Amino acid sequence: MIDKPCLKVEIAGIKLKNPVMTASGTFGYGQEYAPFVDLNRLGAMILKGITLKPKMGNPPPRVIETPSGMLNAISLQNVGVEILIKEKLPYLKKFNTPVVINISGDTLEEYVELARRLGEVSKEMGVTGLEVNISCPNVKKGRMVWGTDAKATYKIVSSIRKATTLPLIAKLTPNVTDIKTIAQAAEEAGADALSLINTLVGMAVDVNSRRPKLANVSGGLSGPAIKPVALWMVWQVFQTVNIPVIGIGGIIKVEDALEFIIAGARAIEIGTANFVNPRVTIEIIEEIEKYLIENNIKDINELVGSIKI
Amino acid sequence: MIDKPCLKVEIAGIKLKNPVMTASGTFGYGQEYAPFVDLNRLGAMILKGITLKPKMGNPPPRVIETPSGMLNAISLQNVGVEILIKEKLPYLKKFNTPVVINISGDTLEEYVELARRLGEVSKEMGVTGLEVNISCPNVKKGRMVWGTDAKATYKIVSSIRKATTLPLIAKLTPNVTDIKTIAQAAEEAGADALSLINTLVGMAVDVNSRRPKLANVSGGLSGPAIKPVALWMVWQVFQTVNIPVIGIGGIIKVEDALEFIIAGARAIEIGTANFVNPRVTIEIIEEIEKYLIENNIKDINELVGSIKI
Amino acid sequence: MILNIKVKILSRKEVGPNIYLIRLKAPEIAQDALPGQFIHIKCSKDNYPLLRRPLSIHRIDKEKGEIFILFQAVGDGTKLLAQREIGDDLDIMGPIGNGFNIYPKSRKIMIVGGGIGVAPLLALCEESIRQGKEVRVLIGALKKELIIGEESYKILGAKVDVATDDGSYKHKGLVTDLLEGSIREGWLADQIFACGPKSMLKKIVEISLDAHIDCQVSLEERMACGIGACLGCVCKIKTKDKKEDKVKYEYKRVCVDGPVFGGSEVVWDD
Amino acid sequence: MILNIKVKILSRKEVGPNIYLIRLKAPEIAQDALPGQFIHIKCSKDNYPLLRRPLSIHRIDKEKGEIFILFQAVGDGTKLLAQREIGDDLDIMGPIGNGFNIYPKSRKIMIVGGGIGVAPLLALCEESIRQGKEVRVLIGALKKELIIGEESYKILGAKVDVATDDGSYKHKGLVTDLLEGSIREGWLADQIFACGPKSMLKKIVEISLDAHIDCQVSLEERMACGIGACLGCVCKIKTKDKKEDKVKYEYKRVCVDGPVFGGSEVVWDD
Ligand SMILES: Cc1cc2nc3c(=O)[nH]c(=O)nc-3n(C[C@H](O)[C@H](O)[C@H](O)COP(=O)(O)OP(=O)(O)OC[C@H]3O[C@@H](n4cnc5c(N)ncnc54)[C@H](O)[C@@H]3O)c2cc1C
Ligand SMILES: Cc1cc2nc3c(=O)[nH]c(=O)nc-3n(C[C@H](O)[C@H](O)[C@H](O)COP(=O)(O)OP(=O)(O)OC[C@H]3O[C@@H](n4cnc5c(N)ncnc54)[C@H](O)[C@@H]3O)c2cc1C
Ligand SMILES: Cc1cc2nc3c(=O)[nH]c(=O)nc-3n(C[C@H](O)[C@H](O)[C@H](O)COP(=O)(O)O)c2cc1C
Ligand SMILES: Cc1cc2nc3c(=O)[nH]c(=O)nc-3n(C[C@H](O)[C@H](O)[C@H](O)COP(=O)(O)O)c2cc1C
Ligand code: FES
Ligand code: FES
């Protein structure tokens, strides 16, 4: 029996106290969850996706519940990088938890400029890494989504890579035929880690008004409903790349987190579940520790990818 | 107020009493559900996917529940086309409900031969149409799945098209980057209708044994969990092709069926829900009729694709 | 501060067709709660439905440390909530939101509720009367059976008027007719507070603008987090830019920037 | 024929730690049911969990038109089922499966149950005794508190022996030790019927083959439809081809081709 298993993992050179991170867009700018969560205890915080300029986002309704899941069409409403730096990051500096900024853009140039700007202030403002959301449409290329094409993925990740020395996590979209080729492209382009999955595209219709339930028509599906798909993709990517993989999708209880870790995720991000149970991150950290003790596993890293096929 | 709205629809030249069909693999060979369902009342019956030769299928466990869904890895266990013809179809001949055979194969030749053989006996045995499951891997092409590539889709559908004059429904897989190009390829290849979606690929892990919960590792995700994804794809395809679209995925109550119809499906297939409520097909037919009456819609065809964006 | 706690269900009553009144033991929340705030509730014991549901705080009893919710069972979440047993622990977050702002100098208060929109207004009425204001309440409902709380307001000492769409009780017509009537009669409130369907709120804002009466409305939007993190629950709000020379629009969060907004700020048309 | 009906919960009792006995009013099913068959149950009132859960028919009371289920609350489905209230309508399908086949000419019957595997065996015991057989029952459990039904079997007139893994009651060891012991002592049954964990069943089949005793085992597998349509619940079965000269393997459905299989047909090793 061990009494204090090691929960530390390293992702993209970022040292985490434990493998539990918050998923972008579901934890605000961190402060919103401070009444419920001791932010010091988290593995890392990933903030709401940021763009160069502030964004207004989509009209409401923006969220709708679906069976064991939800659709969202927030569309990156955010304060823009300058206000992030000025008004949001200072608060987070008092915690000794790595802060990772999720970045988005309409054009390649926006991504690059964002990465550069955040790199510039990283020391001072405590930006530990970047997570590149490549699920955004490329407005210059007829709104094709960057992350649905291996070449486009390579291009955007390598361009950002050149613009910053910050640890770079590429966040993959699941709406693709072959996640492995996209993962490879991101790895070759210089990503230090991959996180997946972002949301699946979905839709809901109000049968009385015969209108889409979301003003934006389509939205991103998240929550427990998508967990099996996410797990499959994480396992596929884990077998394909040599950089760490972060598992995301439908994690709401400790078993879910463990499934991802066993299938190859070195860390996990918790999204929608924060809305259901604001303390879920901490509870899962505690229960992972319990699982390790019960199973006599000294170091969580032993569990990563330990699936027996 | 109308008291008897018209529920009849036509798909690929097949006349249906109503738009409610059974999804392949979830209704056995029809007879299994006869204790619960008056088979005469169904729009059409689609039987368990058939191959040229009998297939043994995957070892157990083959099914596992997931949040609002299930994973299955039956892998086409079936009696083979000859036993289908000799032992299963005769029973169904006494019902005046169209029988559609879902066909699968490991090679192009198998699909073609199956279609030819079923065409040959169609009059005598009451085969009204074929649904081509192009979610099977092409063993000759390194197990690439036919339906994940537009060219392969075109090839397989056009080859089958040449082999039979039976109404041909191409059943699309959702595990693709762009369902529209696949749909177009199937239409150009001569499909009379498209049905979608087949299952999403997924996986589950037992955290105690650290083994996959399915013996086959991965399986197909079905049930209410996938409805938002299915609905989005149906609406995308409806806007793209000129042939009828059949909506499948997570339909368990009348609103689900109506959502698909409003988003463009001329008919719908009910799968996993049969396992939950064996009478679900009939109940949904009755409730669609009620909805039409309450909304003063004389003909269900008016509802098809009537979504207001 | 918003708390996430488990609170005991003390009582549950069906006070109208599918309308339930539930009393909760929640001293920490009762202590802090303001009229117009809400709590975010996990309706079932498992994760189905997945998301919490927002319900206004209907009454606040600081002495007993109790709060009340009044709600209509419309969908899965509220139906499950209506079935929860007395003695059960309910997982709630709250109190959330800005609440109504009663100005110290206001003397006359008009409260207008439509349908289940009356829910947050009882606490407001009680507080207004406690502060010594003169309070009138207008209640609108589809029909007689759906009128909720008429007596409760009267007991507090407010003058109550009712309108029903079908005329099955008191004034036949809209509650906004009553509001226009009272203004015409010369009863000019210093503040109007309203909660109810969007169409009603919009009309009330028009009336209040015409009559130059300050008006606050409580809005609803579908919510996920309920605490300002997801940006799911927004409504369009007119703001002025720094130089105050140009009107801007912004999506504000109903959960923490609202649910109460100044009537004239709200953009109704999209 | 398999029915899908709603049946009343007449009583519910926790008969062991997390083990529940529920009595259902189901005359149509009681009428037809055979020992070894099961019912497929919608555990909750909504669609969460999604799939039904299979539970054996524990007792059949044809006279009163009642059936019993005996189950262990292990996961979401069975836990919700254990919370259903008396008087509730339970949505079930049944009776399903082939049931145990008691040969008319058998005189001595050996019944072996491990853990919750005893559930379907009480009905079998009752029927065997009704048919005038001499019945012995061997029950295996992890520890004393988990032994279920010892008395019920005795009341029926069967001779009952018990083994516990930890020795907290009667024989310390495996129930298969008892089976071997009884054979050694010369009590040779004409048929052995068994239900329980796979490892136990496998061992019992070995013992029965050695002793040349006909053996039937009731298997479990994860199910979706429960009526033979989905092919989800298969187990590997040895069959002979038409000419009977070659062993073949086939995946048979536990739900309708089983759950009872001849011990020697079952392929255990994958
Ligand atoms: C700040 C706030 C305070 C509220 N206070 C009360 C109250 O005191 N009493 C009361 O009865 N209701 C109140 N509501 C509305 C209440 O939240 C919804 O009726 C409830 O969430 C519906 O959940 P459901 O699962 O029963 O229905 P669902 O199945 O989710 O939906 C059923 C119907 O309710 C509507 N609805 C669902 N969610 C919301 C939502 N978040 N906001 C508005 N409408 C929704 C849908 O349009 C749908 O027509 C309030 C809403 C908000 C945002
Ligand atoms: C024909 C048949 C008859 C059965 N009779 C009984 C009975 O009389 N009493 C009884 O207590 N149990 C019986 N079982 C097992 C029972 O069906 C499962 O315990 C139950 O389905 C678990 O559901 P859950 O939602 O509580 O657990 P889940 O959360 O689904 O799973 C919890 C655990 O139960 C196991 N399990 C889940 N589903 C099945 C299944 N279909 N078969 C076997 N194990 C499963 C899993 O491996 C898991 O460890 C029977 C199973 C079959 C196939
Ligand atoms: C309301 C909401 C907003 C989100 N915003 C972002 C975002 O800004 N950037 C991003 O990369 N992902 C965003 N996501 C996706 C999540 O980070 C996560 O990848 C996804 O929700 C799957 O995880 P979950 O099932 O745990 O929620 C958002 C998800 C939700 C539900
Ligand atoms: C147990 C099972 C077996 C299936 N077998 C087949 C099959 O043989 N051929 C096929 O095209 N689709 C098969 N499917 C897919 C369904 O027909 C359907 O496309 C899918 O389940 C989505 O619909 P649902 O959510 O209503 O179940 C199967 C699905 C399940 C659950
Ligand atoms: S509900 Fe999440 S921001 Fe308001
Ligand atoms: S559970 Fe479907 S065939 Fe047995």
Side-chain angles (χ1 to χ4, degrees):
Chain A
M1 253 336 225
I2 35 166
D3 39 70
K4 212 64 197 157
C6 171
L7 283 171
K8 288 186 198 134
V9 296
E10 191 174 318
I11 295 280
I14 309 170
K15 288 186 167 46
L16 312 183
K17 285 184 279 272
N18 62 63
V20 176
M21 316 167 77
T22 60
S24 177
T26 66
F27 208 69
Y29 297 105
Q31 186 161 12
E32 292 87 342
Y33 276 90
F36 315 105
V37 170
D38 176 356
L39 302 182
N40 272 322
R41 293 183 63 189
L42 296 171
M45 276 183 276
I46 304 190
L47 309 187
K48 172 68 192 164
I50 204 87
T51 52
L52 207 52
K53 299 267 167 276
K55 262 191 182 294
M56 192 163 171
N58 283 326
R62 287 180 172 185
V63 291
I64 188 86
E65 185 164 334
T66 68
S68 297
M70 64 176 279
L71 288 166
N72 89 77
I74 313 296
S75 188
L76 290 172
Q77 173 172 356
N78 80 91
V79 296
V81 71
E82 294 307 329
I83 295 187
L84 175 82
I85 294 169
K86 251 184 277 160
E87 297 176 14
K88 306 292 180 183
L89 294 181
Y91 172 81
L92 295 175
K93 277 180 72 179
K94 59 179 168 199
F95 302 97
N96 64 7
T97 295
V99 172
V100 174
I101 309 292
N102 178 282
I103 61 172
S104 286
D106 283 335
T107 62
L108 182 68
E109 293 70 30
E110 280 179 37
Y111 277 100
V112 169
E113 175 55 18
L114 253 177
R116 196 202 52 72
R117 179 74 180 112
L118 286 164
E120 199 171 74
V121 301
S122 63
K123 283 259 158 54
E124 185 192 347
M125 300 312 302
V127 173
T128 321
L130 301 181
E131 182 180 57
V132 187
N133 177 3
I134 57 172
S135 307
C136 304
N138 177 354
V139 292
K140 287 210 183 147
K141 281 243 182 159
R143 308 200 66 72
M144 187 269 287
V145 174
W146 289 101
T148 56
D149 178 77
K151 283 204 195 104
T153 299
Y154 182 88
K155 180 152 186 206
I156 194 155
V157 175
S158 59
S159 303
I160 299 168
R161 176 72 294 170
K162 282 177 211 130
T164 181
T165 56
L166 279 172
L168 208 62
I169 302 165
K171 181 166 178 183
L172 309 184
T173 163
N175 303 292
V176 297
T177 306
D178 184 4
I179 193 83
K180 298 193 295 299
T181 59
I182 310 284
Q184 262 164 342
E187 180 180 32
E188 282 162 21
D192 300 305
L194 303 177
S195 62
L196 65 158
I197 60 176
N198 211 314
T199 54
L200 286 160
V201 184
M203 154 179 193
V205 176
D206 183 315
V207 301
N208 295 313
S209 68
R210 295 198 223 163
R211 286 182 199 285
K213 286 189 178 171
L214 294 172
N216 185 52
V217 185
S218 72
L221 183 64
S222 65
I226 69 169
K227 193 191 65 171
V229 174
L231 202 57
W232 168 247
M233 291 191 164
V234 164
W235 188 59
Q236 293 291 99
V237 168
F238 171 70
Q239 294 172 282
T240 308
V241 299
N242 295 308
I243 49 180
V245 175
I246 303 168
I248 323 169
I251 298 173
I252 198 165
K253 50 184 181 0
V254 67
E255 287 83 5
D256 303 328
L258 292 167
E259 283 189 80
F260 278 96
I261 294 170
I262 293 168
R266 194 156 298 269
I268 52 113
E269 295 179 21
I270 299 179
T272 302
N274 290 301
F275 307 154
V276 180
N277 172 10
R279 277 185 45 80
V280 67
T281 42
I282 302 300
E283 289 174 7
I284 288 182
I285 294 167
E286 288 168 355
E287 283 162 12
I288 289 178
E289 182 161 9
K290 225 194 284 171
Y291 172 91
L292 293 179
I293 294 172
E294 279 167 10
N295 288 273
N296 207 29
I297 299 169
K298 277 192 283 299
D299 186 331
I300 183 121
N301 291 285
E302 290 170 30
L303 204 60
V304 177
S306 65
I307 187 165
K308 299 171 203 152
I309 299 292
Chain B
M1 257 327 233
I2 36 166
D3 37 70
K4 210 65 196 155
C6 172
L7 282 172
K8 288 186 198 136
V9 296
E10 193 175 315
I11 295 279
I14 309 169
K15 289 185 168 48
L16 313 184
K17 285 184 279 273
N18 61 64
V20 177
M21 314 165 78
T22 59
S24 177
T26 66
F27 208 70
Y29 297 105
Q31 187 161 11
E32 291 87 343
Y33 277 90
F36 314 105
V37 170
D38 176 356
L39 301 181
N40 272 321
R41 293 182 62 189
L42 295 171
M45 274 182 278
I46 304 190
L47 309 188
K48 171 68 192 164
I50 204 87
T51 51
L52 207 51
K53 299 268 166 275
K55 262 191 183 294
M56 193 163 170
N58 283 327
R62 288 181 172 184
V63 291
I64 189 86
E65 186 164 333
T66 68
S68 296
M70 63 177 278
L71 287 166
N72 89 78
I74 313 295
S75 186
L76 290 170
Q77 173 172 354
N78 79 92
V79 296
V81 70
E82 293 309 326
I83 295 186
L84 175 82
I85 293 168
K86 251 184 276 159
E87 296 176 14
K88 305 293 180 183
L89 293 181
Y91 171 81
L92 295 175
K93 277 181 71 178
K94 58 180 171 201
F95 302 96
N96 63 8
T97 295
V99 171
V100 173
I101 309 293
N102 178 280
I103 61 172
S104 286
D106 283 333
T107 62
L108 182 68
E109 294 70 32
E110 280 180 37
Y111 276 100
V112 169
E113 175 54 19
L114 253 177
R116 196 202 53 72
R117 179 73 180 113
L118 286 163
E120 197 171 75
V121 301
S122 63
K123 282 260 158 52
E124 185 193 346
M125 301 312 304
V127 173
T128 321
L130 301 181
E131 181 179 57
V132 187
N133 177 3
I134 57 173
S135 309
C136 304
N138 178 354
V139 291
K140 286 208 184 148
K141 283 240 180 159
R143 307 201 68 74
M144 187 270 287
V145 175
W146 289 101
T148 54
D149 178 77
K151 282 204 196 104
T153 299
Y154 183 89
K155 179 148 187 211
I156 196 158
V157 175
S158 60
S159 303
I160 299 168
R161 175 74 295 170
K162 283 178 208 131
T164 181
T165 56
L166 279 173
L168 209 60
I169 302 165
K171 181 166 179 182
L172 310 185
T173 164
N175 303 293
V176 297
T177 306
D178 183 5
I179 193 82
K180 299 192 296 298
T181 59
I182 310 284
Q184 263 165 340
E187 179 180 34
E188 281 163 23
D192 300 305
L194 303 177
S195 61
L196 65 160
I197 61 174
N198 211 315
T199 53
L200 287 159
V201 184
M203 159 179 188
V205 176
D206 183 314
V207 301
N208 294 314
S209 67
R210 297 198 224 163
R211 286 180 199 284
K213 285 189 178 172
L214 294 172
N216 185 53
V217 185
S218 72
L221 182 65
S222 64
I226 69 169
K227 193 191 65 172
V229 174
L231 202 57
W232 168 248
M233 291 193 165
V234 163
W235 188 60
Q236 293 292 97
V237 168
F238 170 70
Q239 294 171 282
T240 307
V241 298
N242 295 307
I243 49 179
V245 176
I246 303 168
I248 323 171
I251 298 173
I252 199 165
K253 52 186 181 0
V254 66
E255 287 82 7
D256 303 327
L258 292 167
E259 282 188 80
F260 278 97
I261 294 170
I262 292 168
R266 193 155 300 268
I268 53 112
E269 296 179 20
I270 299 179
T272 303
N274 290 301
F275 307 154
V276 181
N277 171 10
R279 277 183 46 80
V280 67
T281 43
I282 302 300
E283 288 173 8
I284 287 182
I285 293 168
E286 287 168 355
E287 282 161 13
I288 289 178
E289 183 161 7
K290 227 195 281 172
Y291 172 90
L292 293 178
I293 293 172
E294 278 166 11
N295 288 275
N296 207 28
I297 299 169
K298 277 193 284 299
D299 187 332
I300 182 119
N301 291 286
E302 291 170 29
L303 204 61
V304 177
S306 64
I307 187 164
K308 298 173 206 153
I309 300 293
Chain C
M1 198 172 82
I2 305 173
L3 303 175
N4 175 25
I5 50 174
K6 293 212 164 121
V7 300
K8 276 250 168 322
I9 299 180
L10 297 174
S11 69
R12 182 192 59 186
K13 221 172 104 180
E14 188 167 356
V15 295
N18 267 320
I19 297 170
Y20 295 84
L21 178 69
I22 285 182
R23 189 163 55 101
L24 301 169
K25 185 82 193 173
E28 308 91 322
I29 289 182
Q31 212 42 53
D32 279 5
L34 303 171
Q37 288 188 309
F38 68 95
I39 56 176
H40 207 33
I41 305 177
K42 200 153 180 336
C43 295
S44 70
K45 290 180 196 171
D46 52 36
N47 290 328
Y48 190 85
L50 186 64
L51 299 176
R52 290 168 182 265
R53 299 291 189 260
L55 292 178
S56 304
I57 300 173
H58 172 58
R59 266 193 63 198
I60 306 161
D61 189 333
K62 289 194 200 292
E63 249 167 67
K64 293 201 187 140
E66 294 172 2
I67 58 172
F68 295 68
I69 49 176
L70 176 74
F71 65 96
Q72 200 161 8
V74 290
D76 284 356
T78 46
K79 276 176 197 158
L80 285 164
L81 183 60
Q83 284 165 30
R84 293 295 294 271
E85 278 162 48
I86 294 164
D88 260 13
D89 275 335
L90 198 63
D91 179 344
I92 67 173
M93 297 167 74
I96 310 178
N98 53 1
F100 294 106
N101 187 353
I102 312 172
Y103 307 141
K105 59 170 196 256
S106 296
R107 285 181 304 120
K108 289 157 83 179
I109 301 283
M110 176 65 92
I111 291 175
V112 192
I116 194 69
V118 298
L121 300 173
L122 191 72
L124 174 71
C125 179
E126 196 164 358
E127 177 60 21
S128 303
I129 285 172
R130 208 191 53 77
Q131 293 187 12
K133 321 284 185 195
E134 182 188 347
V135 182
R136 285 209 189 177
V137 177
L138 307 178
I139 299 177
L142 286 172
K143 51 182 180 181
K144 190 174 174 192
E145 303 84 71
L146 292 173
I147 301 160
I148 321 151
E150 187 185 1
E151 278 315 304
S152 323
Y153 287 102
K154 281 192 184 154
I155 291 169
L156 291 174
K159 182 169 180 300
V160 184
D161 248 331
V162 180
T164 51
D165 287 25
D166 68 351
S168 52
Y169 186 67
K170 296 210 174 159
H171 176 73
K172 179 184 160 95
L174 299 175
V175 70
T176 48
D177 302 344
L178 298 179
L179 179 63
E180 287 174 317
S182 75
I183 291 173
R184 237 181 288 119
E185 285 162 20
W187 199 84
L188 292 178
D190 299 298
Q191 288 187 271
I192 299 178
F193 296 99
C195 184
K198 252 191 180 168
S199 55
M200 179 195 101
L201 296 182
K202 194 179 161 188
K203 179 78 187 165
I204 290 172
V205 170
E206 280 169 23
I207 297 171
S208 71
L209 284 175
D210 280 351
H212 302 285
I213 303 174
D214 185 279
C215 172
Q216 291 173 25
V217 295
S218 177
L219 299 185
E220 289 190 5
E221 192 44 72
R222 291 188 165 269
M223 292 185 178
C225 72
I227 56 164
C230 74
L231 306 177
C233 65
V234 299
C235 61
K236 203 171 188 175
I237 294 293
K238 262 179 268 183
T239 52
K240 298 228 171 97
D241 69 358
K242 294 236 169 82
K243 293 181 212 133
E244 299 242 352
D245 57 356
K246 229 174 56 192
V247 177
K248 285 201 316 176
Y249 297 98
E250 210 180 315
Y251 284 123
K252 289 213 171 179
R253 298 162 299 183
V254 170
C255 63
V256 293
D257 299 324
V260 178
F261 292 94
S264 58
E265 301 172 327
V266 180
V267 181
W268 300 100
D269 290 322
D270 39 350
Chain D
M1 199 172 82
I2 305 172
L3 303 175
N4 175 25
I5 50 176
K6 294 211 163 121
V7 300
K8 276 246 167 331
I9 298 179
L10 297 175
S11 68
R12 181 191 60 182
K13 222 172 104 182
E14 188 168 357
V15 296
N18 268 319
I19 298 170
Y20 295 84
L21 179 69
I22 285 183
R23 189 164 54 101
L24 301 168
K25 185 82 191 174
E28 309 91 323
I29 289 181
Q31 212 43 54
D32 279 5
L34 303 171
Q37 289 189 309
F38 69 94
I39 58 177
H40 207 33
I41 306 177
K42 203 155 175 335
C43 295
S44 71
K45 290 179 193 169
D46 51 37
N47 291 327
Y48 190 85
L50 187 64
L51 298 176
R52 291 169 181 264
R53 298 291 189 261
L55 291 178
S56 304
I57 301 173
H58 172 58
R59 267 193 62 200
I60 307 161
D61 189 333
K62 290 195 199 293
E63 250 167 64
K64 292 201 189 139
E66 295 172 2
I67 58 172
F68 294 68
I69 48 177
L70 177 74
F71 65 95
Q72 199 161 9
V74 289
D76 284 355
T78 46
K79 276 177 197 156
L80 285 164
L81 184 60
Q83 283 166 27
R84 294 294 295 270
E85 278 161 47
I86 294 162
D88 260 13
D89 276 335
L90 197 63
D91 179 342
I92 66 172
M93 298 168 73
I96 310 179
N98 52 1
F100 293 105
N101 187 353
I102 313 171
Y103 306 140
K105 60 169 196 255
S106 297
R107 285 179 307 121
K108 287 156 86 178
I109 302 283
M110 176 64 91
I111 293 176
V112 191
I116 195 68
V118 299
L121 299 174
L122 191 72
L124 173 71
C125 179
E126 194 164 2
E127 177 61 20
S128 302
I129 285 173
R130 208 192 52 76
Q131 293 186 13
K133 320 285 186 194
E134 182 187 344
V135 182
R136 286 210 188 173
V137 177
L138 307 177
I139 300 177
L142 286 173
K143 51 182 179 179
K144 191 175 175 190
E145 303 85 71
L146 292 172
I147 301 159
I148 322 151
E150 187 185 2
E151 278 314 304
S152 323
Y153 288 102
K154 281 192 182 153
I155 291 168
L156 291 173
K159 181 168 180 302
V160 184
D161 248 330
V162 180
T164 51
D165 287 25
D166 67 351
S168 52
Y169 186 67
K170 296 208 174 165
H171 176 73
K172 178 182 162 97
L174 299 175
V175 69
T176 48
D177 302 342
L178 298 179
L179 179 62
E180 288 174 317
S182 73
I183 291 173
R184 239 182 287 120
E185 285 163 19
W187 198 84
L188 292 177
D190 298 300
Q191 289 186 270
I192 298 177
F193 297 99
C195 185
K198 252 190 182 170
S199 56
M200 177 194 102
L201 296 181
K202 194 178 161 190
K203 179 77 186 169
I204 290 174
V205 169
E206 281 169 23
I207 297 171
S208 71
L209 283 175
D210 279 349
H212 302 285
I213 303 173
D214 185 280
C215 172
Q216 292 173 22
V217 295
S218 178
L219 299 185
E220 289 190 5
E221 193 43 73
R222 290 188 166 269
M223 292 186 179
C225 73
I227 57 164
C230 74
L231 307 177
C233 64
V234 298
C235 62
K236 202 170 190 177
I237 294 292
K238 261 178 265 179
T239 52
K240 297 229 171 96
D241 69 359
K242 293 236 171 79
K243 292 181 210 135
E244 301 241 354
D245 58 357
K246 230 175 54 194
V247 177
K248 285 202 314 177
Y249 298 97
E250 212 180 313
Y251 284 123
K252 290 213 169 179
R253 299 163 298 184
V254 170
C255 62
V256 293
D257 300 324
V260 179
F261 292 93
S264 58
E265 298 172 328
V266 180
V267 182
W268 300 100
D269 289 324
D270 39 349

